[in-house]
């Protein structure tokens, strides 16, 4: 694990050497794109390179699996802010091969929570408050299905501007090759 002191030391040099200069951009996405994708470590640099995105080009919204579990949750809010406040004119949902959310095992994760010291009482309290943990920790059965589902949620959202294209893609986590899963321009 990288220690905080190492990060801060590196950062000091980064700023002093003005390495930031090649990244200067403003908050409005130059390519007028909003991208919803996964937090997977393999995509950190690969996705922007493979899609020819540089600093300032796109709003990139990430979470585990590029999933929108709540139509009125923070991911969808981010998409709407990107559109209405920052000028995004297209949305692309990008899933990826080998996504952890395709193989997530809620039972295993709950067992791990027990092992790491979450008190059994907590699970009872949550269950009694109507929090369905297994549902909360649910992923999808295939990466492609996950992309299609997220595209549908965005496309059908009552606050999405009419005719705004919402596309779906799958990126190969190794080669960066993109597959178009949903062509949102067809809906116009
Ligand atoms: Zn993923």
């Amino acid at each position: 694990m990288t220690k905080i002191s190492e990060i801060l030391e590196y950062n000091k040099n980064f700023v002093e050497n003005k390495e930031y200069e090649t990244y200067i951009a403003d908050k409005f996405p130059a390519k007028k794109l909003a991208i919803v994708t996964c937090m997977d470590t393999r995509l950190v640099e690969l996705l922007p390179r493979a899609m020819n995105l540089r600093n300032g080009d796109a709003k990139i919204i990430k979470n585990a699996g590029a999933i929108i579990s709540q139509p009125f949750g923070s991911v969808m809010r981010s998409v709407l802010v990107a559109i209405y406040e920052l000028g995004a004119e297209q949305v692309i949902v990008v899933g990826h091969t080998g996504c952890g959310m395709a193989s997530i095992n809620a039972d295993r994760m709950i067992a791990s929570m027990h092992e790491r010291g979450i008190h059994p009482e907590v699970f009872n309290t949550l269950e009694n408050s109507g929090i369905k943990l297994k549902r909360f920790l649910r992923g999808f059965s295939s990466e492609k299905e996950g992309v299609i589902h997220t595209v549908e949620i965005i496309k059908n959202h009552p606050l999405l501007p009419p005719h705004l294209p919402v596309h779906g893609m799958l990126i190969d986590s190794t080669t960066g090759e993109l597959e178009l899963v949903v062509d949102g321009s067809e809906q116009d």
Side-chain angles (χ1 to χ4, degrees):
M1 189 186 292
T2 312
K3 292 189 201 83
I4 290 296
S5 57
E6 285 173 8
I7 294 176
L8 292 173
E9 185 62 30
Y10 178 90
N11 177 258
K12 203 164 166 279
N13 291 327
F14 179 87
V15 177
E16 274 174 13
N17 299 335
K18 294 190 177 1
E19 288 179 49
Y20 57 83
E21 282 181 345
T22 48
Y23 302 103
I24 290 174
D26 72 19
K27 65 178 181 177
F28 298 100
K31 292 194 173 173
K32 299 188 186 305
L33 275 179
I35 291 172
V36 179
T37 189
C38 182
M39 66 182 192
D40 195 286
T41 50
R42 292 167 290 186
L43 304 185
V44 172
E45 290 189 61
L46 179 69
L47 181 135
R49 295 279 169 87
M51 295 183 76
N52 193 25
L53 297 173
R54 305 200 50 175
N55 219 37
D57 277 348
K59 293 288 157 187
I60 303 186
I61 303 149
K62 291 187 166 193
N63 70 12
I67 293 172
I68 297 182
S69 38
Q70 301 285 344
F72 287 91
S74 62
V75 178
M76 194 59 219
R77 181 174 57 218
S78 302
V79 170
L80 293 171
V81 168
I83 294 167
Y84 285 105
E85 288 287 302
L86 301 162
E89 293 177 352
Q90 302 198 43
V91 181
I92 310 178
V93 177
V94 187
H96 68 104
T97 57
C99 184
M101 291 305 280
S103 56
I104 190 172
N105 181 323
D107 289 326
R108 189 175 60 211
M109 215 163 136
I110 291 167
S112 177
M113 288 169 181
H114 277 285
E115 278 167 26
R116 295 190 57 177
I118 307 299
H119 198 276
E121 194 58 40
V122 172
F123 296 96
N124 293 335
T125 308
L126 289 175
E127 202 67 27
N128 293 337
S129 325
I131 310 275
K132 304 285 174 226
L133 260 194
K134 282 197 189 179
R135 201 181 145 85
F136 174 61
L137 298 172
R138 197 173 50 184
F140 37 72
S141 52
S142 83
E143 289 89 348
K144 207 173 269 190
E145 182 214 287
V147 168
I148 292 167
H149 189 241
T150 298
V151 166
E152 285 299 312
I153 287 183
I154 299 172
K155 226 162 61 177
N156 296 325
H157 200 280
L159 298 178
L160 193 85
H163 311 302
L164 190 130
V166 184
H167 314 279
M169 291 182 182
L170 200 63
I171 189 169
D172 185 301
S173 300
T174 304
T175 66
E177 184 181 5
L178 289 166
E179 179 191 344
L180 187 61
V181 177
V182 180
D183 184 353
S185 44
E186 286 172 0
Q187 70 188 356
D188 286 349

